Amino acid sequence: MNLSKWKSKLLPFMDQGVVSGGNFIAGVLLARALGMDGFGQFSIFWLVVLFFSSLNQAGISTPLYTLFPQKSLEQKTGYLTSVGWMQALYSIGASGLLILVFTLATPWVSVWNLDQALLGSGVLFSFLTFDFIRRLHYCQGKTKQVLVLDSVVYTLQLGAFAILTWMGSVSLTSVLLVLMVTYLIPLLGLNQVLPIRSISLHDFKSDLARHWTFSKWLIGTALLQWTSGNFFLIAASVLLGPAAVGAIRILQNLVGVMHVVFQALEHIVPLRASQIFQQLGSGALKSFLKKIAGQGVMATTVMGISMAVCGPFLVRLLYGDDYVDYAHLLYGFALLYIFVFTGTILRFAIRTLELNRSIFIAYTLSTIFSICLAHPVIQFFGIAGVVIGLIASQVIIQIYFLYSLTLKFKQA
């Protein structure tokens, strides 16, 4: 393999290392500076950001990754213009909706003042824009530029958080301000990946309709996926308080280094899987994904077990003595992330074969489980019930994925 091919494979992992490393260090700084309750409140807000982000990925980013490679060279410019307008309208609409929610939700506003509510909406807009620009770069093969972009953004974020910590000025307001400003920096280079040109309403409607056809099941799935993955956390915040959510989030932050693998694959595998399926068929696709799954499960298992064994030491070192009592939960998270990885590979296969309805059904089953059993499971097991519930949700989803894929490959 020549040097350029090595670089093309290595750069996405380096970039995700920057993103995961930046988020990890930021989580450590904020957990220490805000305390368990403050960090728990911030974590609950970030769940809202992830909710809107999941809809963004389902309706705009995921179709972009699959449809862009299928366009001819002359079609790509017009298509990217349409997608850019979709993103702008969605980011503005989501931020406006969040301001409305802050205004109407009196109990929430009693915790967050008006300035924080406005900053929170600004963070949502800037994060959605930042994530979209990153994905535009990846879609066009500009991985090196993404690495530079992320390095700048996360270096500035961490530098600002470190200065605020040194000054003793870390607060929810200051954290939100830093996030909003730093996530807007990529807008300065937007013209490098998004053509600035006019587009006819007819072309925009056509591209929007194609996105809807592709992602209508994915959007519903995103709603269900967010509920399935976070309902146990929401229930924990009600039953156990924000501090419990803060504890769970610091453990997720610790094992989150494994997202280096997951997110890097997200930028490589779907595009490659789509190409293999188009050129060589379902058999080649199956072999390709099996190979990725085998290598990834081994790496995820080793990393997860290592973190769990070293858990008490790592938690005390990074977060302080207040969080050590929760370190034993890392064994559950190690198991959970093995399932998260296998689910990621199965979802790549489902998307490539455009069996998006199967994703919807799988998350419907998982959401029903979460809504029905989150309360009794957490009441009986306490904070460990959150991890148990997350693992059970993954198992339910993947059983249905395997069922759907087995039927599809038998028909091929």
Side-chain angles (χ1 to χ4, degrees):
M1 184 180 293
N2 60 40
L3 184 59
S4 62
K5 289 185 177 180
W6 270 109
K7 285 183 178 180
S8 67
K9 290 181 176 294
L10 185 59
L11 284 175
F13 288 91
M14 293 174 62
D15 174 61
Q16 195 54 45
V18 170
V19 174
S20 295
N23 287 328
F24 173 75
I25 297 171
V28 172
L29 292 173
L30 296 182
R32 282 183 169 273
L34 295 174
M36 290 186 70
D37 283 333
F39 187 65
Q41 291 175 17
F42 173 77
S43 298
I44 294 170
F45 162 72
W46 201 251
L47 290 179
V48 177
V49 174
L50 294 179
F51 168 76
F52 285 105
S53 178
S54 67
L55 295 180
N56 195 108
Q57 291 183 33
I60 298 176
S61 299
T62 299
L64 172 67
Y65 273 11
T66 300
L67 299 178
F68 183 77
Q70 300 174 10
K71 302 287 184 181
S72 66
L73 186 61
E74 60 186 19
Q75 292 174 327
K76 287 181 177 180
T77 299
Y79 174 65
L80 288 179
T81 303
S82 292
V83 174
W85 277 107
M86 292 180 208
Q87 182 63 48
L89 292 172
Y90 178 78
S91 297
I92 294 170
S95 302
L97 179 60
L98 188 56
I99 291 176
L100 181 63
V101 170
F102 276 130
T103 303
L104 298 178
T106 304
W108 183 259
V109 175
S110 67
V111 178
W112 286 47
N113 60 43
L114 181 59
D115 290 342
Q116 291 172 337
L118 292 174
L119 281 173
S121 298
V123 170
L124 175 60
F125 175 86
S126 61
F127 179 78
L128 292 176
T129 304
F130 166 69
D131 188 61
F132 174 66
I133 293 173
R134 292 181 71 251
R135 292 174 186 275
L136 277 177
H137 278 85
Y138 270 118
C139 191
Q140 297 174 54
K142 298 180 178 180
T143 311
K144 183 178 180 180
Q145 289 89 332
V146 183
L147 177 59
V148 173
L149 185 70
D150 287 337
S151 298
V152 171
V153 169
Y154 284 99
T155 298
L156 290 174
Q157 273 187 17
L158 295 178
F161 289 149
I163 292 171
L164 289 172
T165 301
W166 177 69
M167 296 174 59
S169 301
V170 178
S171 66
L172 196 54
T173 299
S174 64
V175 168
L176 294 174
L177 182 60
V178 168
L179 292 175
M180 184 181 70
V181 172
T182 53
Y183 281 138
L184 285 176
I185 290 173
L187 276 173
L188 298 174
L190 181 61
N191 63 340
Q192 296 181 6
V193 286
L194 190 65
I196 308 299
R197 53 163 283 183
S198 60
I199 185 173
S200 69
L201 184 60
H202 176 270
D203 290 341
F204 177 75
K205 286 182 177 179
S206 177
D207 289 326
L208 184 62
R210 182 67 181 98
H211 269 238
W212 172 250
T213 300
F214 181 93
S215 64
K216 58 186 177 183
W217 289 108
L218 293 179
I219 293 172
T221 299
L223 293 168
L224 295 170
Q225 185 176 8
W226 185 88
T227 304
S228 172
N230 295 304
F231 196 82
F232 277 87
L233 278 175
I234 296 170
S237 70
V238 175
L239 296 173
L240 306 176
V245 179
I248 289 292
R249 293 300 288 178
I250 68 106
L251 297 179
Q252 288 180 322
N253 189 47
L254 188 58
V255 297
V257 296
M258 285 188 274
H259 281 290
V260 173
V261 178
F262 300 167
Q263 294 300 318
L265 291 178
E266 183 76 34
H267 299 303
I268 300 173
V269 176
L271 291 170
R272 182 61 182 148
S274 179
Q275 293 168 352
I276 289 174
F277 179 62
Q278 293 291 329
Q279 297 171 8
L280 302 175
S282 59
L285 173 66
K286 186 176 180 180
S287 299
F288 170 68
L289 292 178
K290 275 187 175 181
K291 180 181 178 181
I292 298 293
Q295 296 171 347
V297 166
M298 184 179 300
T300 304
T301 301
V302 171
M303 287 190 291
I305 292 175
S306 299
M307 287 182 190
V309 171
C310 301
F313 169 76
L314 292 174
V315 171
R316 180 177 286 108
L317 175 67
L318 296 171
Y319 300 102
D321 293 334
D322 292 342
Y323 295 93
V324 173
D325 290 341
Y326 302 100
H328 65 282
L329 296 175
L330 284 171
Y331 286 97
F333 275 108
L335 178 60
L336 171 64
Y337 270 69
I338 295 173
F339 282 112
V340 170
F341 179 81
T342 57
T344 299
I345 300 301
L346 290 173
R347 193 162 53 250
F348 290 157
I350 292 283
R351 282 189 207 162
T352 303
L353 297 171
E354 297 197 31
L355 300 174
N356 295 331
R357 183 172 177 271
S358 296
I359 303 179
F360 181 84
I361 294 173
Y363 278 103
T364 298
L365 297 174
S366 177
T367 298
I368 292 171
F369 163 79
S370 298
I371 292 174
C372 292
L373 294 180
H375 188 278
V377 168
I378 291 175
Q379 275 199 324
F380 186 81
F381 292 102
I383 195 170
V386 177
V387 184
I388 293 171
L390 293 175
I391 293 173
S393 296
Q394 282 292 322
V395 171
I396 291 169
I397 291 166
Q398 291 178 47
I399 287 174
Y400 192 81
F401 280 176
L402 287 170
Y403 168 74
S404 298
L405 289 170
T406 299
L407 288 181
K408 181 65 176 180
F409 283 125
K410 282 183 178 179
Q411 295 171 2

